[in-house]
Amino acid sequence: AQSVTQPDIHITVSEGASLELRCNYSYGATPYLFWYVQSPGQGLQLLLKYFSGDTLVQGIKGFEAEFKRSQSSFNLRKPSVHWSDAAEYFCAVGGGFGNEKLTFGTGTRLTIIP
Amino acid sequence: DGGITQSPKYLFRKEGQNVTLSCEQNLNHDAMYWYRQDPGQGLRLIYYSQIVNDFQKGDIAEGYSVSREKKESFPLTVTSAQKNPTAFYLCASSSGQGYNQPQHFGDGTRLSIL
């Protein structure tokens, strides 16, 4: 069965500092990986996705993520965070054909301090 | 603009009562999903439907029911058999044309017990 682990429940970062959110997955074949962001009381918005090809993927709002098969990781990064980045971030893994379900991690809440 | 509309935003249920959450999409997507979100647990899949008149149970289907009579609509009924229904419910859709299509989310319905 596929699974996702986000080891950090809560991270606090100063505005302008760099950010890395960790995501580790378990899946028996080539995974399809996603990062979503959720503001309080809202739905989820897709930041970026990885299916194949270049292991460094660019997303919206200046985010990027790197797929490392050897480490089963798909960490999200941003070089300089803005106060508006404060939100909850979810990593998700999907399977191949016939397995369109996504499995989500438990999320990482990001707090930005001035 | 195309999107997913969930209603109502807030819903209260009395003991022994069934309640129905609405989800409508105008994205012409084939696949639709219902998730339950509890603090610290991420998103858990309740039901999903990949085509009209067909749906499958997700990981936590007990106490819930759905229907998919129209492509654009996927209502979720929380029955009296669901003993702990207080949660944030999210509806999502995807084009379903392949297993690598990202899911688009509505803004959610928060259900509470009176």
Side-chain angles (χ1 to χ4, degrees), chain A residues 85-108:
Chain A
D85 293 324
E88 188 143 22
Y89 292 80
F90 292 92
C91 182
V93 62
F97 183 76
N99 183 17
E100 287 78 10
K101 297 187 294 182
L102 290 185
T103 298
F104 286 83
T106 51
T108 297

Side-chain angles (χ1 to χ4, degrees), chain A residues 9-102:
Chain A
I9 296 173
H10 184 204
I11 285 182
T12 300
V13 176
S14 297
E15 190 168 14
S18 64
L19 171 71
E20 182 168 28
L21 301 182
R22 296 184 290 165
C23 172
N24 293 98
Y25 69 90
S26 174
Y27 188 70
T30 301
Y32 298 85
L33 295 160
F34 306 81
W35 273 101
Y36 286 86
V37 61
Q38 183 182 34
S39 297
Q42 301 291 315
L44 277 67
Q45 180 184 21
L46 179 69
L47 286 176
L48 47 78
K49 60 188 179 185
Y50 171 78
F51 299 142
S52 64
D54 193 348
T55 56
L56 184 64
V57 294
Q58 303 296 320
I60 63 171
K61 305 186 180 187
F63 285 94
E64 66 179 26
E66 186 171 13
F67 171 61
K68 293 185 177 180
R69 183 186 300 275
S70 62
Q71 299 178 18
S72 297
S73 69
F74 188 56
N75 294 349
L76 182 72
R77 302 195 294 245
K78 187 169 185 178
S80 176
V81 297
H82 186 262
W83 64 266
S84 60
D85 293 324
E88 188 143 22
Y89 292 80
F90 292 92
C91 182
V93 62
F97 183 76
N99 183 17
E100 287 78 10
K101 297 187 294 182
L102 290 185

Side-chain angles (χ1 to χ4, degrees), chain B residues 5-19:
Chain B
T5 301
Q6 290 188 241
S7 63
K9 192 168 180 67
Y10 300 95
L11 187 59
F12 298 90
R13 196 191 88 169
K14 296 179 180 178
E15 293 289 339
Q17 185 182 46
N18 294 352
V19 292

Side-chain angles (χ1 to χ4, degrees), chain B residues 9 49 58 67:
Chain B
K9 192 168 180 67
S49 167
S67 63

Side-chain angles (χ1 to χ4, degrees), chain B residues 63-110:
Chain B
Y64 301 97
S65 66
V66 294
S67 63
R68 186 82 188 279
E69 298 176 359
K70 298 186 295 182
K71 185 176 184 178
E72 60 270 23
S73 179
F74 192 40
L76 173 74
T77 296
V78 184
T79 75
S80 57
Q82 172 50 245
K83 297 307 179 187
N84 183 24
T86 298
F88 190 51
Y89 290 86
L90 287 162
C91 179
S93 71
S94 69
S95 68
Q97 296 173 10
Y99 40 86
N100 56 2
Q101 298 306 310
Q103 295 181 15
H104 301 259
F105 286 81
D107 284 338
T109 293
R110 187 166 299 279

